[in-house]
Amino acid sequence: MIAYLVTIATLVSIAVLIAMALNVQWGMCGMVNFGLAGFVALGAYTTAILTLAGWPALFAVAASVVVCAVMGGLLSLISMRLSEDYLAIVTLGFGEIVRLVTLNEGWLTGGALGLPGIPRPLVETIGSENYETAFLAGAVLIVAIVYFGLERLTRSPVGAALRAVRDDDLVASSLGRNVLLLRVKAFALGGGITAIAGSLQAFQFSYIDPSQFTAIMTAYAFMAVIAGGRGSHRGLILGACSIMFLLEASRFLKDVIEVLDNAQIAAIRLILIGAGLILLLIFRPQGLMREYRLSAPRATAATAPPPTGKE
Amino acid sequence: MLTIVDVGKRFGGVSALDKCSVEFESGKITAVIGPNGAGKSTLLNCISGALVPDSGSIRLFDDDVTGAKPHILARKGLARTFQISRELSSLTLLENLLLADRPSDPMSFFAPVFRRARVLDEQAEAVNRAMGLLRRVGLDRLADETASALSGGQKKLLELSRALMLKPRVVLLDEPAAGVAPPMVKVLIEVIRDLHAEGVDFVLVEHNMDMVAALSDEVVVMAEGTPLMRGDFKAVTTDARVAEAYLGGVV
Ligand SMILES: Nc1ncnc2c1ncn2[C@@H]1O[C@H](COP(=O)(O)OP(=O)(O)O)[C@@H](O)[C@H]1O
Ligand SMILES: [Mg+2]
């Protein structure tokens, strides 16, 4: 049971990172990314291929972050140059390209069989008994670091500028903000975060294949961000946890209602998530939490004690 | 200060600006009046970079800025408001203003994370300035509300104070009094007059003739995409051609 909970918690950490990436891109800056799973796959495969080639884990992850960030920056730049609405199509296409490459370029990606035997970082030092727990601790630490970094960004003038671009890019531009640069940076930052998520996933199972990065991964991220409240990093953590709770809790339905077979359970799980999201949007259309807003008294007291973090 | 030469802008078959040449002089408040559809807003949009003109050239403080991006123009000291308010609806009033501030690292994603103290110090300064501007138009008590909660008139006032946050040298105002209650129009006139005394120039597109009379050093009348005449308020409002243009515009 403990082992099961540790695995679930690690998966939630990865899902939270993916949702955070989407929250920067779409939640804050209004740039949709339907190729999110493709970015995670790109990150996972880059890390996997490099570690299998003998790179130390840290360098492999760093390289993977750079690859995904540059890819994110390029994709947003290309689609901005065309026209802003093209981002949806471009990211969808990117996701599909990544899927096809991972499936068909077997010499590089192992094709449908995937890449087994990805060396897990520090496995000799930690030892195999406690490794899963240590890995979870590492994953949670990474989530915490990304979370606090993003919170600082969100609470700064740049964070407000990103939200301004989302609300009305002409106004943001007329007030002196370089909208194109902000968009490219936000998309690149999101790309970098997906690479961290993908790398964790590669190390988690020490095996990756294309079936781990399907559209449902993207869908869960959107659900977490929408349920949590667009723009709120804390909200999406709550959102991702709720989704995982519904998914996993329904697993035990089989023990309670014995007439159901596995396929029916799987269908019911998705129905539960859908129903949960619809109910939430009826009763709390703005999501569980509100995004950060700067308020005047607190801001003028910048020299006073640090903000309480009240949202 | 602002020199517009032979600017043309078409929307499909409609010619919104047609060989439009006009000079806005520094040290003055120049009003631009004319019937609906004369091309006044299109002119402001071309000057501010929101639209790229099809032809002609625009110079701002002796720089050629034809087709320049809005943020470049904003940095050169040009601010604007919109005829139909464009508040940043999910931002608070204070945040709307802070967006026009120029911190030392406005685009950096690293500074807020790794040099947070400096960023917050700069922000605190900007907040003081922003609250002062909001106070000037009587919106300071609403600083923490999101802009979507404001009335139409309040949104106009917010836009003006937001434009001023840029510390502009010249402000283009597109019908700032439209939808604003009469007592507030008086405040607007005061604020604009004070700012002009402090050295800010204005191009004022306005239908409210009291405001035009109260503020303008010079009036440009536009009709059918090009200036028809210019002169002081009295000369312009008694001119037969102007009356005709307005009547023509109504039909
Ligand atoms: N974005 C647009 N698309 C199509 N036509 C436009 C657009 N903007 C303005 N026009 C047309 O250009 C002409 C001038 O409009 P505008 O500059 O808004 O005039 P004004 O501000 O003087 O009332 C009008 O005929 C208007 O219908
Ligand atoms: Mg107009």
Side-chain angles (χ1 to χ4, degrees), chain A:
Chain A
M1 188 64 190
I2 295 290
Y4 166 74
L5 288 178
V6 167
T7 308
I8 297 300
T10 311
L11 290 179
V12 172
S13 306
I14 295 170
V16 164
L17 282 173
I18 300 171
M20 278 176 177
L22 182 67
N23 200 34
V24 172
Q25 296 175 332
W26 179 71
M28 294 175 72
C29 198
M31 304 165 79
V32 82
N33 183 353
F34 290 133
L36 206 53
F39 275 97
V40 182
L42 180 65
Y45 275 90
T46 307
T47 298
I49 290 166
L50 291 178
T51 40
L52 283 169
W55 285 44
L58 200 60
F59 290 128
V61 175
S64 157
V65 167
V66 171
V67 166
C68 285
V70 168
M71 186 56 80
L74 279 179
L75 282 191
S76 58
L77 195 62
I78 293 168
S79 47
M80 290 309 141
R81 285 265 171 250
L82 290 171
S83 150
E84 283 156 31
D85 303 326
Y86 277 84
L87 195 58
I89 299 163
V90 168
T91 52
L92 208 57
F94 167 76
E96 198 53 21
I97 290 170
V98 171
R99 196 182 67 83
L100 289 174
V101 168
T102 52
L103 264 178
N104 296 319
E105 300 301 316
W107 59 274
L108 185 67
T109 64
L113 296 176
L115 292 172
I118 300 161
R120 310 181 80 181
L122 299 175
V123 76
E124 285 97 28
T125 334
I126 296 165
S128 52
E129 294 137 76
N130 296 322
Y131 191 82
E132 301 304 333
T133 318
F135 190 83
L136 171 63
V140 170
L141 183 68
I142 289 170
V143 169
I145 291 170
V146 173
Y147 170 80
F148 283 112
L150 288 183
E151 277 294 309
R152 285 192 166 190
L153 184 71
T154 305
R155 287 156 190 265
S156 78
V158 185
L162 292 177
R163 288 187 285 134
V165 170
R166 177 189 71 195
D167 278 6
D168 189 330
D169 55 345
L170 176 59
V171 172
S173 171
S174 298
L175 296 177
R177 298 300 163 130
N178 184 340
V179 169
L180 180 70
L181 190 59
L182 279 173
R183 284 196 165 126
V184 169
K185 282 186 165 193
F187 222 71
L189 175 60
I193 297 172
T194 57
I196 301 175
S199 304
L200 281 177
Q201 176 134 342
F203 292 134
Q204 152 92 341
F205 302 113
S206 97
Y207 164 77
I208 50 170
D209 72 39
S211 72
Q212 294 175 15
F213 310 96
T214 53
I216 195 78
M217 183 179 248
T218 308
Y220 284 147
F222 272 95
M223 287 181 207
V225 172
I226 292 169
R230 217 177 147 179
S232 165
H233 306 300
R234 210 178 309 173
L236 72 83
I237 296 179
L238 214 59
C241 292
S242 316
I243 290 168
M244 189 58 92
F245 177 78
L246 283 178
L247 272 178
E248 292 303 316
S250 54
R251 208 186 269 281
F252 298 100
L253 274 179
K254 198 168 59 167
D255 307 335
V256 187
I257 315 168
E258 286 168 1
V259 285
L260 296 177
D261 63 33
N262 276 336
Q264 285 168 323
I265 292 282
I268 284 178
R269 295 167 81 190
L270 284 179
I271 291 169
L272 268 179
I273 303 260
L277 202 62
I278 289 166
L279 282 178
L280 182 75
L281 289 179
I282 289 171
F283 292 109
R284 235 185 124 73
Q286 72 277 35
L288 293 167
M289 289 198 174
R290 200 185 73 188
E291 69 182 352
Y292 170 80
R293 285 180 203 145
L294 180 78
S295 61
R298 198 172 71 212
T300 28
T303 42
T308 54
K310 194 167 137 281
E311 280 198 62

Side-chain angles (χ1 to χ4, degrees), chain B residues 36 40-42 83 174-175 205:
Chain B
N36 279 325
K40 305 181 298 292
S41 294
T42 306
Q83 178 175 352
D174 201 347
E175 305 197 13
V205 172

Side-chain angles (χ1 to χ4, degrees), chain A residues 149 152 156-158 161 163-164 166-168 170-171 173-178 182 185 293-297 300, chain B residues 70-71 74-75 82 86 88-90 94-95 98-99 101 106-109 112-113 116 123 128 144 146 162 166:
Chain A
R152 285 192 166 190
S156 78
V158 185
R163 288 187 285 134
R166 177 189 71 195
D167 278 6
D168 189 330
L170 176 59
V171 172
S173 171
S174 298
L175 296 177
R177 298 300 163 130
N178 184 340
L182 279 173
K185 282 186 165 193
R293 285 180 203 145
L294 180 78
S295 61
T300 28
Chain B
H71 69 269
R75 280 178 215 165
F82 295 88
R86 295 183 80 142
L88 297 161
S89 49
S90 72
L94 178 63
E95 288 176 324
L98 288 184
L99 199 67
D101 182 47
M107 302 299 290
S108 169
F109 279 27
V113 181
R116 185 148 169 268
Q123 179 170 281
N128 283 333
D144 288 348
T146 52
R162 193 174 63 185
L166 273 171

Side-chain angles (χ1 to χ4, degrees), chain B residues 32-246:
Chain B
V32 178
I33 65 171
N36 279 325
K40 305 181 298 292
S41 294
T42 306
L43 178 63
L44 295 200
N45 284 333
C46 285
I47 296 172
S48 69
L51 290 174
V52 179
D54 300 333
S55 55
S57 73
I58 298 169
R59 297 179 76 80
L60 172 67
F61 311 124
D62 296 324
D63 297 333
D64 186 357
V65 294
T66 318
K69 286 257 157 46
H71 69 269
I72 304 286
L73 290 155
R75 280 178 215 165
K76 286 186 192 287
L78 180 114
R80 69 164 302 181
T81 67
F82 295 88
Q83 178 175 352
I84 299 171
S85 304
R86 295 183 80 142
E87 72 287 355
L88 297 161
S89 49
S90 72
L91 272 63
T92 65
L93 271 58
L94 178 63
E95 288 176 324
N96 262 270
L97 264 73
L98 288 184
L99 199 67
D101 182 47
R102 245 193 114 57
S104 50
D105 245 347
M107 302 299 290
S108 169
F109 279 27
F110 286 95
V113 181
F114 300 107
R115 282 195 292 275
R116 185 148 169 268
R118 199 191 68 196
V119 169
L120 289 182
D121 277 355
E122 285 184 353
Q123 179 170 281
E125 258 171 58
V127 167
N128 283 333
R129 203 157 64 82
M131 291 306 289
L133 286 170
L134 284 174
R135 210 167 295 129
R136 224 164 161 166
V137 294
L139 288 176
D140 53 319
R141 279 176 308 111
L142 301 172
D144 288 348
E145 300 293 322
T146 52
S148 56
L150 297 185
S151 71
Q154 288 173 323
K155 287 176 181 173
K156 289 274 175 185
L157 297 173
L158 172 66
E159 281 211 9
L160 176 65
S161 44
R162 193 174 63 185
L164 298 176
M165 190 72 191
L166 273 171
K167 297 186 185 158
R169 291 160 71 186
V170 49
V171 185
L172 315 178
L173 300 170
D174 201 347
E175 305 197 13
V180 179
M184 222 44 233
V185 173
K186 288 220 172 66
V187 175
L188 257 176
I189 291 173
E190 285 308 305
V191 170
I192 294 170
R193 194 176 276 149
D194 288 354
L195 284 159
H196 187 57
E198 292 163 23
V200 183
D201 294 330
F202 289 88
V203 174
L204 172 68
V205 172
E206 188 50 70
H207 286 305
N208 181 327
M209 285 304 145
D210 293 339
M211 190 175 199
V212 173
L215 286 173
S216 58
D217 299 305
E218 207 175 11
V219 180
V220 174
V221 186
M222 277 187 72
E224 294 174 6
T226 199
L228 182 69
M229 71 167 292
R230 74 188 291 165
D232 65 18
F233 182 73
K234 214 159 168 192
V236 159
T237 42
T238 50
D239 192 282
R241 284 175 300 163
V242 174
E244 195 185 321
Y246 266 92

